[in-house]
Amino acid sequence: MTDSQERWQRVNLALACFALDPAALGGIWLRARVGPVRDRVQKGVEIALQGQILRRLHPGIGDDALFGGIDLAATLAQGHVVRTRGILDENAVLLMPMAERVKAALAARLAGALDAGKGLALIAYDEGAEPEERLPQALADRLAIHLDLADQGLSDAPELALDQSALAAARLLLPHVTVPDHAICDVATVAARLGIRSLRAPLQALALARASAALMGETCVDHADLTLAVELVLAPRATQLPQEEQEAQEAPPDPPHPEEPEKAHEAQDQDQIDLPPLEMLIEAAKAILPPDLLARLQAGRAARQAPAANGSGAVKKGNRRGRPLPARPGRIGSEARVDLVATLRAAAPWQPMRRKATGKTDQLHIRMSDIRLRQFAETSDRAIIFVVDASGSAALARLGEAKGAIELLLGEAYARRDHVALIAFRGDGADVLLPPTRSLVQTKRRLVQLAGGGGTPLAAGLKAGLELALTAQGKGMTASVAILTDGRANVDLAGIANRTQAAADATAMARAIRARAIPALVIDTGIRPTQALASIASDLGAPYLALPRADARSLSAAVDASLNLA
Amino acid sequence: MKDVTLTGPFPFSAIVGQEDMKLAMILTAIDPGIGGVLVFGDRGTGKSTAVRGLAALLPPIHAVAGCPVNSAHLGEIPDWAQVNDTAIIEKPTPVIDLPLGATEDRVVGALDIEKALTRGEKAFEPGLLARANRGYLYIDEVNLLEDHLVDLLLDVAQSGRNVVEREGLSIRHAAHFVLVGSGNPEEGELRPQLLDRFGLSVDVTSPKDIDTRIEVIRRRDSYDRDPGGFLTEWRPADLALRAQVVAARDHLGQVAAGEPILRDCAALCLALGADGLRGELTLLRAARALAAFDQDLTVTRDHLRRVAASALRHRLRRDPLDEAGSTTRVTRIVEEVLA
């Protein structure tokens, strides 16, 4: 059997196990594009879950649909409050296509609903094309079964075999399935050695093993069940290749429960005969670890660090704050607020006619179509922080161009809501010459005073840039850092001339900036491009531009294009 | 005591490890004036389990049945509330979840649109803050919450009053609650100004030790399979802890903190370069609550040592290159100052 066929069999087993006890398993995260393979899975889901309520969600679903809300049309027509039922109010299995587009807010609500233990389960169809596009971590952590069918061919994906009566029998058996204590130990150990930090995963693995045992008609979880649990639940979550036994065993025994390990050992001894050792489970996990595990981990990390995941200072397009816009017609939902005055104004002309039509003269007649919602527009200001090398090597000529570029950018700032800040580094440290500002007059005055000369404390400059960027983010601006230097860092953070230490400090600081997901740009103003500077740029995750003969205008254009924030 | 409850959240005393987090939560239960708790750490480490467990552990509150803000007496009911049921009942300490993306209207309360549109009445619809009065407000992923909401929450938590002035309403009501925020620092950080306003902060990591992990899973598994039996088994431990918390609350007023302890607090905060005086105050309050928990009559340096990291770690100036983390820095300075 090929890998692909084996994978399809696992899908079959996963669906069957899930169908036995959807709530205990939390759900399935299925990564596959729309296509015949996914249609087969969907068909399998419908067969397996026959008799249970299936509900489709979309990633933009609002609170009124989730939790129930006022049925406004009925309420207004009948004169008393009519409520709609929310999707989360009943024990349904939720199906969510386009799960990679779920926002953090919806993910948090669904996670809360899944945690409440009211019998909900979620099948998330993740259609992400890039590794960075994926289901939010908060949800992925709560769905037991992770399947990746991105490369599954249709020829290896026949119709899923799911037998209703077998499932019904297994469902009856499920409450009687017991888990031996050594199985708990094994699952926990495998999870630890795969580097899975969340403690939900081993619990979900146990639930899956239990379902698998019931499916096989057994009342005790055995090795085959554990293997399946490791393959479906633990292996896809691995964050490291399994380490050697010794390392895992080095952890000191837990002092408060000295009797526990012994008990575990005893249990293991008794069952030694019919259960192969832990290593086989690890091997099973290894066998299906994705070959590009490391690449995926980095994608996950990058997705987490993307500016979109950062709540403070990111671009805000809300309808709750900012500059008011004219009210628009709409429905009462959770997001927007009703503009009462505009609503009444819209309803006013119709009052005599409605009074006549209904015969009720003592009340205000408001219909759905009268509802007006408030709108706000808020654009996030951007702050461009120039970190300029004013050392002896770079200074005089370059400094003039940097000054010119800043003036040019500021000239357009009024229209574009840009703030510009300037940090110069020279001698033994860096100075904030200009905090983020939009004042052209003030800027010109400060720029005139900027002097050059001395060593190149690149690390100090980066540090000052980072601090300023964080402050700007705290004020709700989108900050980016543009570094203009010729790249020969020769003064370290402590202000001491030491080339090796200076380079190390600069690298460390560049990584610190990258870790905070602040967009950056490195402009090499040296006569010849410097290798050291290119490597700093890659540490920053920033584009590297060599502009040996840049004038103010091309510099300004380069900054604009590279930071791409306009 | 009434008959043993057979349903309920996972018992607080059955949580394995995470001593820092458990202690911080107990301290705020003894003295809610300490302020909120910020719990930062990995997913699936029992953050929300601990909050829910703690609320179930605490003695039930007596409140007016129909009151939207859980008033203790009839006299405390705000004048805007239409209370039909005025019986005083016993109810568990409220734990209110604030979901990410909640609107300001839902949090502070707003004009009751249903009543306004259907009956033409100007009525106030209380929000989550009203329901959280005298209990806990739990925010998962507080670092992803919009800044203006966090500002507002911390402000209300500190003043203990919620003031609503909007849409022709002018409403105020009591909102005394302990704010518990949790989050994963990899996904975004809180502004220093907001960090400073949380009383205590703890870092949680999932246990590294295999046996602890196995024990966690074993307990959770047996809870999931037989909640009733598990709760019965842990009931005595929970009740003992409740008795200790209740005793500590009574005892809190009598705990003395001498001049040398005040000096130590100030010296610690100076050495750490913590901005503002909130650090000293919280440190002292937390140490006093800990002394009360231990049934000691005076605050000692040992108490300071045990709470210093939680009370001060989030008030340090951030150093972008410091990989060791602020806990290590606090511990080092504490060793130096209290040597």
Side-chain angles (χ1 to χ4, degrees):
Chain A
M1 212 180 337
T2 63
D3 279 359
S4 178
Q5 283 166 330
E6 274 179 30
R7 193 189 312 151
W8 192 246
Q9 277 216 314
R10 277 200 298 275
V11 173
N12 203 342
L13 281 173
L15 279 187
C17 289
F18 175 71
L20 295 188
D21 193 355
L25 290 171
I28 301 177
W29 172 22
L30 181 79
R31 205 167 153 84
R33 306 288 289 274
V34 182
V37 173
R38 209 189 83 179
D39 290 345
R40 290 244 158 105
V41 176
Q42 169 66 20
K43 206 165 162 195
V45 166
E46 278 161 19
I47 297 171
L49 295 176
Q50 221 162 55
Q52 307 196 33
I53 310 166
L54 285 177
R55 286 264 179 276
R56 265 182 110 81
L57 304 183
H58 62 90
I61 193 165
D63 273 6
D64 51 343
L66 278 180
F67 300 107
I70 309 162
D71 185 342
L72 203 69
T75 300
L76 291 174
Q78 298 182 17
H80 63 88
V81 177
V82 179
R83 290 187 171 275
T84 54
R85 261 174 86 86
I87 290 176
L88 299 183
D89 287 345
E90 49 190 4
N91 299 342
V93 175
L94 311 173
L95 294 174
M96 188 157 60
M98 288 184 281
E100 78 283 0
R101 298 181 56 82
V102 169
K103 294 270 182 319
L106 178 61
R109 283 169 170 74
L110 289 175
L114 290 173
D115 275 356
K118 281 187 286 191
L120 278 172
L122 174 74
I123 300 177
Y125 293 123
D126 182 337
E127 298 163 18
E130 303 295 322
E132 289 82 15
E133 284 180 293
R134 47 189 279 152
L135 188 71
Q137 278 289 326
L139 270 181
D141 193 43
R142 285 166 171 90
L143 308 183
I145 302 169
H146 291 191
L147 298 171
D148 189 344
L149 293 181
D151 317 319
Q152 183 78 22
L154 188 63
S155 55
D156 290 329
E159 296 281 327
L160 290 167
L162 293 156
D163 179 13
Q164 287 290 336
S165 56
L167 287 180
R171 224 169 259 147
L172 288 179
L173 189 61
L174 186 60
H176 306 290
V177 175
T178 55
V179 178
D181 194 62
H182 64 81
I184 296 182
C185 299
D186 285 355
V187 166
T189 313
V190 174
R193 283 178 53 189
L194 290 174
I196 301 170
R197 285 194 282 181
S198 169
L199 284 168
R200 275 197 194 97
L203 282 166
Q204 290 162 337
L206 284 180
L208 191 113
R210 215 173 262 140
S212 157
L215 205 61
M216 303 296 162
E218 296 154 358
T219 54
C220 186
V221 167
D222 66 12
H223 185 72
D225 304 322
L226 288 181
T227 309
L228 183 69
V230 166
E231 286 172 346
L232 287 176
V233 181
L234 296 184
R237 288 175 160 81
T239 64
Q240 65 186 36
L241 291 170
Q243 289 167 348
E244 289 308 305
E245 180 90 35
Q246 296 91 314
E247 277 181 61
Q249 293 290 303
E250 262 171 14
D254 196 18
H257 319 283
E259 73 278 16
E260 237 83 50
E262 285 173 30
K263 253 196 260 167
H265 278 301
E266 275 169 37
Q268 220 155 14
D269 287 343
Q270 283 164 8
D271 294 298
Q272 205 73 63
I273 315 111
D274 56 343
L275 261 154
L278 185 73
E279 290 311 312
M280 288 189 66
L281 289 179
I282 303 263
E283 286 307 315
K286 262 191 196 167
I288 68 162
L289 279 185
D292 54 344
L293 177 69
L294 291 176
R296 270 179 205 219
L297 291 176
Q298 286 194 328
R301 215 163 285 145
R304 261 180 280 152
Q305 285 173 357
N310 190 340
S312 57
V315 183
K316 287 180 194 123
K317 277 182 216 131
N319 45 13
R320 297 186 286 277
R321 300 173 72 200
R323 189 167 54 87
L325 294 175
R328 64 177 163 86
R331 293 168 44 86
I332 296 187
S334 53
E335 295 284 295
R337 287 176 61 191
V338 172
D339 187 335
L340 266 192
V341 176
T343 303
L344 291 178
R345 196 174 285 144
W350 302 96
Q351 293 309 308
M353 202 185 282
R354 287 176 186 167
R355 271 188 213 127
K356 237 178 263 165
T358 55
K360 292 182 192 156
T361 53
D362 57 342
Q363 67 173 61
L364 202 56
H365 294 269
I366 294 177
R367 299 284 179 269
M368 261 305 271
S369 54
D370 302 330
I371 303 293
R372 295 289 180 273
L373 300 180
R374 271 192 202 161
Q375 280 196 109
F376 299 99
E378 188 186 20
T379 39
S380 182
D381 294 2
R382 70 171 178 175
I384 304 176
I385 300 164
F386 283 92
V387 179
V388 179
D389 188 345
S391 66
S393 62
L396 303 165
R398 299 294 142 207
L399 215 50
E401 281 144 20
K403 287 179 183 179
I406 290 169
E407 283 186 22
L408 272 175
L409 278 171
L410 262 182
E412 302 160 23
Y414 180 75
R416 283 211 317 249
R417 301 174 73 89
D418 284 346
H419 293 244
V420 173
L422 178 67
I423 294 168
F425 56 97
R426 57 185 279 258
D428 56 2
D431 299 305
V432 178
L433 292 182
L434 190 67
T437 181
R438 289 164 64 188
S439 152
L440 202 54
V441 182
Q442 197 191 10
T443 308
K444 279 187 172 159
R445 200 174 298 148
R446 300 265 182 111
L447 285 178
V448 171
Q449 297 162 3
L450 174 55
T456 311
L458 181 56
L462 290 174
K463 186 176 182 195
L466 172 61
E467 279 165 3
L468 207 57
L470 290 177
T471 316
Q473 280 189 343
K475 288 181 186 151
M477 291 190 259
T478 308
S480 21
V481 180
I483 298 143
L484 281 81
T485 176
D486 63 354
R488 294 186 189 87
N490 54 19
V491 176
D492 68 5
L493 263 185
I496 298 159
N498 174 348
R499 245 170 223 285
T500 336
Q501 186 59 37
D505 279 355
T507 309
M509 200 48 82
R511 292 195 178 134
I513 292 180
R514 185 182 194 170
R516 282 161 182 76
I518 295 166
L521 166 68
V522 177
I523 298 171
D524 189 344
T525 52
I527 307 298
R528 279 183 299 273
T530 338
Q531 189 54 42
L533 208 49
S535 85
I536 291 276
S538 78
D539 282 328
L540 276 167
Y544 167 81
L545 289 177
L547 287 180
R549 266 179 286 278
D551 59 2
R553 192 159 296 278
S554 64
L555 205 58
S556 151
V559 168
D560 224 23
S562 300
L563 296 179
N564 191 24
L565 287 163
Chain B
M1 196 58 16
K2 284 188 292 185
D3 59 328
V4 180
T5 42
L6 286 182
T7 55
F10 192 82
F12 190 76
S13 30
I15 297 170
V16 185
Q18 313 295 18
E19 299 303 331
D20 278 359
M21 173 172 69
K22 287 198 280 187
L23 182 65
M25 289 192 183
I26 288 175
L27 293 183
T28 57
I30 294 170
D31 181 4
I34 290 174
V37 184
L38 185 65
V39 188
F40 258 7
D42 301 332
R43 289 182 195 293
T45 42
K47 289 170 291 200
S48 55
T49 310
V51 184
R52 276 163 238 284
L54 179 68
L57 170 96
L58 295 178
I61 58 169
H62 294 269
V64 178
C67 179
V69 298
N70 305 318
S71 302
H73 317 288
L74 292 179
E76 284 179 13
I77 299 177
D79 48 5
W80 48 264
Q82 300 167 341
V83 178
N84 303 321
D85 187 355
T86 55
I88 303 269
I89 55 158
E90 199 173 76
K91 55 169 138 178
T93 306
V95 182
I96 305 299
D97 273 287
L98 186 112
L100 202 63
T103 57
E104 208 177 319
D105 290 12
R106 259 192 85 196
V107 176
V108 300
L111 184 73
D112 191 333
I113 296 286
E114 310 170 28
K115 284 191 182 144
L117 289 182
T118 55
R119 283 187 246 156
E121 276 175 30
K122 193 166 89 176
F124 176 65
E125 188 183 18
L128 297 174
L129 293 181
R131 284 165 53 205
N133 189 24
R134 303 178 65 201
Y136 285 79
L137 187 70
Y138 177 60
I139 312 171
D140 200 6
E141 320 240 17
V142 65
N143 46 342
L144 301 184
L145 204 65
E146 283 196 50
D147 271 2
H148 73 284
L149 267 183
V150 184
D151 289 345
L152 188 149
L153 285 171
L154 287 167
D155 193 46
V156 174
Q158 232 160 33
S159 64
R161 290 200 79 69
N162 179 26
V163 178
V164 185
E165 298 280 356
R166 60 202 300 184
E167 283 152 354
L169 290 167
S170 178
I171 298 285
R172 49 213 64 217
H173 65 77
H176 296 280
F177 55 84
V178 176
L179 194 63
V180 181
S182 76
N184 191 337
E186 285 177 10
E187 293 171 1
E189 291 180 7
L190 279 175
R191 303 205 320 265
Q193 296 91 321
L194 298 181
L195 278 177
D196 182 47
R197 292 171 77 171
F198 277 95
L200 304 175
S201 102
V202 285
D203 283 339
V204 291
T205 48
S206 55
K208 297 276 180 295
D209 163 34
I210 271 289
D211 293 320
T212 316
R213 292 180 69 108
I214 293 175
E215 185 57 22
V216 172
I217 293 163
R218 198 180 275 137
R219 286 192 193 173
R220 185 76 213 189
D221 190 55
S222 65
Y223 168 78
D224 285 341
R225 292 184 63 70
D226 177 16
F230 193 77
L231 287 171
T232 319
E233 187 189 333
W234 285 95
R235 189 82 187 148
D238 259 9
L239 286 179
L241 194 54
R242 173 190 288 190
Q244 208 182 343
V245 169
V246 172
R249 279 183 184 169
D250 297 339
H251 191 65
L252 188 63
Q254 296 139 37
V255 179
E259 182 71 22
I261 288 295
L262 299 186
R263 264 182 193 288
D264 283 344
C265 287
L268 268 179
C269 292
L270 267 183
L272 282 166
D275 300 333
L277 286 172
R278 214 173 263 135
E280 274 103 319
L281 293 171
T282 314
L283 182 60
L284 185 63
R285 279 193 102 131
R288 184 179 279 143
L290 181 61
F293 188 61
D294 289 348
Q295 295 288 314
D296 288 335
L297 281 174
T298 47
V299 178
T300 64
R301 281 189 156 189
D302 182 48
H303 295 134
L304 282 188
R305 243 180 231 125
R306 279 158 66 195
V307 295
S310 310
L312 299 178
R313 85 156 55 85
H314 51 299
R315 299 178 209 276
L316 308 186
R317 284 199 161 271
R318 261 180 283 187
D319 179 356
L321 283 190
D322 187 6
E323 295 297 334
S326 30
T327 312
T328 337
R329 260 161 85 197
V330 175
T331 320
R332 203 180 58 225
I333 299 278
V334 167
E335 289 309 317
E336 284 168 17
V337 174
L338 301 186

